[in-house]
């Protein structure tokens, strides 16, 4: 992460967080998850703890990151700590006679929690995991621009790679080339380990790229995503090397219809489960739902998997500014798999695809 979020966006996030803290009657919130620290301060180092109060905010870093933190952060006082960060943050809270302090229970370890309790008696530590994630649920315009750019890089790289595909190439070589080309186009790297899975291995939804060589007359799944300024895109395309038989053509057409139907449902105030149901109904109409073994999608942003989920019976309502994946697939043992995925922005008018790559040009003969 480059830590280039404009200060105005960081300050707005801090202001909205303070509103949530006031509702929960928290004097301070201790933030230890690096992604949340970045979101709230702009600092992207791997080690740092932010403490946000209703009227003040401090970022504690060790000497390796002092200059970086001062350059990147906004709305916080940077404190250089030469002892364990939690201990220093705890003593800072003690001096301010803090009483109600929230903490990120989804990230803080048991040993870290115990250390905080030793440092800040008689403070009341309140599990507040998800408070920052509630803010991250809807992206601001800076975040949307970053994800849009990541999607454009992802799309451009796949289009380049697609033109080079032929039997005899190694899955792992293709994955490495994809990630290399992402960096050439300005990405910080891959948002996750790039998947290239061919033949029977394409029936493994999360297959890792292997030493297997691509062969003629088989399916190949590519799941890739670039990361820019900390924000990820996520896209999957499936291709066939050769002339696909009718069974493969029907499978691909079914997944494509399922994905299109699900994307059409994406919109403001739509439950995540409704998007999932649209994909499943489309596949069920072709007797393929039992081969769809995962949820239809997930949120994407600073994390490749975050809220909201597009899954069975998910009642969370989408809002304009949410960014999700829509990725139905079918996986048949002994034959292979087909998955089609896009990163989609929720708008008042519906879903906007941020990974613009053709889904019709999937046969490589």
């Amino acid at each position: 992460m480059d830590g280039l979020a404009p200060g105005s966006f960081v300050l707005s996030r801090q202001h909205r967080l303070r509103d949530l803290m006031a509702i929960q009657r928290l004097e301070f919130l201790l933030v230890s998850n690096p992604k949340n620290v970045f979101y709230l301060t702009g600092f992207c180092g791997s080690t740092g703890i932010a403490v946000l109060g209703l009227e003040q905010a401090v970022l504690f870093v060790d000497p390796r990151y002092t200059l970086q933190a001062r350059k990147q952060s906004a709305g916080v006082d940077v404190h250089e700590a030469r002892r364990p960060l939690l201990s220093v943050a705890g003593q800072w809270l003690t001096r301010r006679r803090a009483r109600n302090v929230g903490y990120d229970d989804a990230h803080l370890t048991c040993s870290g929690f115990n250390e905080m309790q030793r440092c800040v008696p008689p403070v009341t530590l309140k599990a507040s995991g998800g408070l920052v994630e509630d803010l991250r649920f809807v992206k601001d315009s800076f975040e949307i621009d970053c994800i849009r750019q990541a999607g454009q890089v992802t799309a451009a790289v796949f289009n380049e790679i697609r033109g080079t595909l032929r039997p005899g190439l190694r899955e792992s070589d293709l994955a490495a080339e994809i990630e290399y080309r992402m960096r050439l186009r300005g990405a910080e790297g891959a948002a996750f380990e790039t998947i290239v899975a061919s033949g029977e291995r394409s029936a493994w939804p999360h297959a890792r790229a292997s030493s297997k060589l691509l062969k003629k007359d088989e399916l190949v799944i590519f799941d890739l995503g670039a990361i820019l300024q900390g924000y990820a895109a996520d896209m999957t395309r499936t291709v066939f090397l050769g002339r696909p038989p009718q069974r493969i053509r029907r499978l691909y057409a079914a997944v494509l219809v399922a994905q299109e139907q699900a994307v059409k449902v994406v919109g403001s105030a739509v439950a995540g489960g409704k998007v999932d149901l649209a994909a499943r109904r489309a596949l069920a109409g072709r007797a393929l739902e039992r081969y769809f073994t995962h949820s239809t999608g997930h949120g994407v942003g600073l994390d490749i998997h975050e809220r909201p989920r597009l899954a069975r019976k998910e009642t969370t309502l989408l809002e304009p500014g949410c960014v999700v994946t829509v990725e139905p697939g079918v996986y048949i043992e002994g034959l292979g798999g087909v998955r089609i995925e896009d990163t989609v922005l929720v708008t008042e008018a519906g879903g906007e695809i941020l990974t613009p790559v053709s889904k019709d040009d999937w046969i490589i003969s």
Side-chain angles (χ1 to χ4, degrees):
M1 296 181 288
D2 289 338
L4 298 177
S8 59
F9 288 98
V10 171
L11 294 176
S12 175
R13 296 166 191 170
Q14 292 177 8
H15 177 75
R16 289 184 289 126
L17 177 64
R18 289 183 171 112
D19 288 342
L20 295 179
M21 290 169 58
I23 293 172
Q24 294 197 13
R25 297 183 179 181
L26 294 175
E27 296 175 85
F28 296 93
L29 180 68
L30 186 143
V31 182
S32 55
N33 182 333
K35 297 290 179 66
N36 288 343
V37 171
F38 171 71
Y39 179 79
L40 291 170
T41 70
F43 168 66
C44 67
S46 61
T47 304
I49 290 178
V51 178
L52 276 83
L54 297 177
E55 296 181 355
Q56 58 190 139
V58 179
L59 174 62
F60 298 95
V61 296
D62 67 47
R64 296 173 299 166
Y65 291 112
T66 304
L67 297 180
Q68 178 183 346
R70 289 173 179 166
K71 179 71 174 179
Q72 292 180 331
S73 62
V76 293
D77 294 326
V78 176
H79 285 206
E80 181 179 283
R82 295 183 177 272
R83 291 178 291 107
L85 296 184
L86 281 172
S87 176
V88 174
Q91 292 178 358
W92 186 89
L93 288 166
T94 299
R95 289 195 297 271
R96 279 148 187 82
R97 299 181 180 180
R99 289 293 179 268
N100 295 305
V101 177
Y103 69 95
D104 186 357
D105 52 300
H107 185 265
L108 190 67
T109 64
C110 289
S111 61
F113 177 81
N114 291 333
E115 183 175 351
M116 286 298 298
Q117 284 193 313
R118 289 193 297 269
C119 291
V120 292
V123 71
T124 298
L125 293 175
K126 182 177 180 180
S128 302
L131 201 60
V132 181
E133 285 77 6
D134 286 345
L135 298 180
R136 288 171 51 187
F137 181 82
V138 174
K139 276 59 180 176
D140 58 40
S141 61
F142 174 79
E143 295 177 288
I144 292 170
D145 286 344
C146 290
I147 298 171
R148 190 187 303 279
Q149 292 173 40
Q152 291 169 350
V153 168
T154 303
V157 168
F158 179 78
N159 283 331
E160 292 174 356
I161 289 295
R162 188 198 174 285
T164 71
L165 296 180
R166 65 183 187 279
L169 296 178
R170 194 183 315 274
E171 291 177 355
S172 57
D173 291 344
L174 284 167
E177 183 67 19
I178 286 170
E179 295 182 8
Y180 170 67
R181 293 192 184 207
M182 286 178 181
R183 287 189 177 274
L184 286 182
R185 287 184 169 272
E188 295 154 35
F192 51 91
E193 186 174 353
T194 300
I195 293 173
V196 181
S198 59
E200 293 185 8
R201 297 184 72 256
S202 63
W204 305 358
H206 278 183
R208 301 178 68 179
S210 73
S211 60
K212 180 186 177 300
L213 302 181
L214 272 57
K215 297 178 181 178
K216 187 178 179 181
D217 297 328
E218 66 179 11
L219 291 159
V220 189
I221 284 181
F222 293 84
D223 192 343
L224 60 151
I227 186 166
L228 271 78
Q229 297 197 62
Y231 289 88
D234 193 358
M235 184 190 82
T236 303
R237 292 294 185 270
T238 303
V239 303
F240 189 87
L241 300 181
R243 295 177 60 85
Q246 282 302 312
R247 186 183 185 190
I248 297 295
R249 290 177 184 270
R250 287 194 293 268
L251 287 177
Y252 189 90
V255 174
L256 179 57
V257 169
Q259 206 247 3
E260 290 173 342
Q261 291 299 313
V263 171
K264 286 181 181 178
V265 173
V266 171
S268 177
V270 173
K274 187 175 181 180
V275 182
D276 182 82
L277 182 60
R280 294 190 188 281
R281 281 180 172 169
L283 292 174
R286 294 161 176 80
L288 293 171
E289 184 185 6
R290 67 190 177 101
Y291 300 110
F292 181 21
T293 55
H294 53 75
S295 62
T296 295
H298 54 83
V300 62
L302 287 173
D303 287 306
I304 194 62
H305 288 89
E306 58 182 51
R307 296 177 58 213
R309 296 181 66 235
L310 306 182
R312 292 179 188 268
K313 300 181 180 180
E314 177 62 53
T315 59
T316 301
L317 300 181
L318 303 179
E319 299 180 35
C322 289
V323 180
V324 297
T325 67
V326 180
E327 50 179 303
V330 295
Y331 311 94
I332 301 176
E333 184 178 2
L335 177 67
V338 175
R339 182 167 69 253
I340 302 172
E341 173 190 22
D342 285 300
T343 299
V344 180
L345 170 66
V346 180
T347 74
E348 292 285 1
E352 177 190 348
I353 291 176
L354 302 183
T355 42
V357 172
S358 171
K359 303 159 198 170
D360 298 323
D361 195 16
W362 64 283
I363 300 172
I364 301 176
S365 55

